[in-house]
Structures are given as C-alpha cells and as structure tokens.
Amino acid sequence: MLQRTWNRGSTSTIFKSVNECICLERRCSFTFGETLGAYTYRDMLSVPRTEGLEQVICKPLDGQSAKVYHPESIAGINAATAYSDRAKQFVSMMLSTNVQDNTPFGFPVNKKSLVSSFAYNENKLDENGGQYSTSYSIDGVKYGFTVYPVNQDGIECLEQWIAGLDTPYLSDMMLENKVLEQGAEYMEGRRELDEAVEAIAESVEIYLYE
C-alpha cells in the first residue's frame, strides 16, 4: 500500500483507501486498500453486480497485513487508577449503541450498531433493487453506477472478517517514513534488501532510544 487517498484527519501517507468507485465506473477491475466504513463496504459488494464485473470478488489481503486493522481510536483503563468504576462506565458508554450508532468513520465495534449501519428502506429501492444511482462526466466521458444494499450474507461475511482481526496498527510517522524511504531505495535498485532492512532497524533503534 503506497498512499492513503483520504486519511480521516491523519497525516500518514502510507495507507491507501480502497477506490471502489473506479471499479463501479468500469474504469478498473482491481483495487485495494483500507475499507473505511460501511459505505465503502457496501460499494465494494456492489461491484460484482455491475455489468461486466460479475466475476469480481472482495476479500482481505493476506501476507504481512493479514489480521491487521487500523483503529480509529483506542480506549483503555489505567490499572493504577483510583476511579476504575467510573472509567469502566465511560468505556461502557463509548461501546454502547447510543455512541456506536453515530460512528462517523470506520466500523462500529458494537455488533448491533454494525448491523444498523447497513439498514435501508426497501420502499426506496429502485426497480432493480438499487439503493441509489449516480451518473456524471469526467473529461467528456459519461460514467454511472448503481449501489445496492448489503444483505445478511454480506453482513455475516464482514463480521467474520472483523472477528479474525487481532493486530491493531498504530500510525507512527517516523517509522512509516523510514520504511517508505528505505523501501523506495530498494525497489529502485539503489540498495540491497539486507542493507535496506539494516538501515530501517538502525533508525528504529535510535528512534526508540530517544
């Protein structure tokens, strides 16, 4: 992943959000990146329902990023706090449907809220079952696509994906930039792999020591 095209207020340049629209527009048959929330997931599942893209599948990428998720925020309770009961009440409030139903970015961690984020009014679907359609022109070329609601199978699939995640990634600009810098030199043939890895390890060691 090279660059995040929309980063939820973060200054990180390492991550890329999935650009499902270029698939829906039939300008591309492959895209990858972070799934930013329910709307992105819904759009992704609409791609195989697009004419000519029926064979497209959506799945998590394995490899070094397997089971990794990018948390929007993390909450915890200090073990030494004298107000653990109040802290637990606060965290419980954060995890409640009252809060999770209004999560602006990312997926709700409350299962009921996750399901609610895909709610839709059947009476407002078009004759083909589409939730909404759009059309526009780019450089004189007309594009258009239809987005469909996520059914129960789609929700259960997402729940399985989420349940399999176990490693939160916390952005650190310094570490990310060092990996990107040395990785670019390796990819461009200006460094051997061992040299790039050693340079990254040395930079990280100095950074952590400081």
Side-chain angles (χ1 to χ4, degrees):
M1 292 181 284
L2 300 178
Q3 184 174 11
R4 186 186 300 174
T5 56
W6 184 75
N7 56 21
R8 305 171 299 176
S10 168
T11 56
S12 172
T13 58
I14 302 300
F15 293 92
K16 175 186 182 301
S17 59
V18 63
N19 189 347
E20 71 286 353
C21 287
I22 60 174
C23 289
L24 288 167
E25 294 165 351
R26 294 187 287 274
R27 290 195 288 157
C28 176
S29 58
F30 173 81
T31 185
F32 67 96
E34 289 186 290
T35 305
L36 297 178
Y39 60 94
T40 306
Y41 183 71
R42 180 191 60 195
D43 293 355
M44 287 167 49
L45 294 194
S46 296
V47 173
R49 302 185 66 171
T50 300
E51 184 178 357
L53 298 174
E54 293 84 359
Q55 301 304 313
V56 171
I57 61 172
C58 304
K59 61 180 295 186
L61 291 176
D62 294 326
Q64 292 180 325
S65 61
K67 299 184 178 181
V68 176
Y69 63 97
H70 200 175
E72 179 66 29
S73 58
I74 294 179
I77 299 175
N78 191 315
T81 182
Y83 305 98
S84 60
D85 288 342
R86 293 183 183 179
K88 289 177 182 178
Q89 290 176 5
F90 179 74
V91 172
S92 179
M93 179 270 294
M94 290 181 63
L95 300 177
S96 69
T97 55
N98 287 336
V99 173
Q100 293 293 312
D101 281 352
N102 297 288
T103 303
F105 307 121
F107 292 102
V109 294
N110 183 301
K111 292 187 70 173
K112 289 183 178 179
S113 295
L114 180 65
V115 174
S116 297
S117 65
F118 295 106
Y120 61 94
N121 187 338
E122 290 190 8
N123 294 326
K124 293 185 178 182
L125 300 181
D126 64 26
E127 58 183 10
N128 296 314
Q131 195 164 358
Y132 74 85
S133 299
T134 184
S135 61
Y136 44 87
S137 297
I138 300 177
D139 296 328
V141 180
K142 292 185 178 180
Y143 296 97
F145 57 83
T146 299
V147 171
Y148 299 88
V150 178
N151 59 25
Q152 186 60 36
D153 288 342
I155 294 175
E156 291 176 359
C157 178
L158 178 61
E159 289 176 337
Q160 291 177 4
W161 288 359
I162 293 175
L165 303 176
D166 59 16
T167 306
Y169 177 78
L170 306 179
S171 293
D172 187 308
M173 282 293 297
M174 186 277 173
L175 298 180
E176 292 171 357
N177 287 335
K178 285 299 180 183
V179 172
L180 185 62
E181 175 186 314
Q182 296 300 326
E185 291 197 6
Y186 165 68
M187 295 296 291
E188 293 169 359
R190 292 183 282 120
R191 272 187 182 270
E192 295 295 326
L193 178 60
D194 290 344
E195 292 177 335
V197 172
E198 184 177 350
I200 293 171
E202 182 178 345
S203 298
V204 170
E205 184 176 358
I206 294 173
Y207 172 65
L208 294 178
Y209 180 77
E210 293 175 347

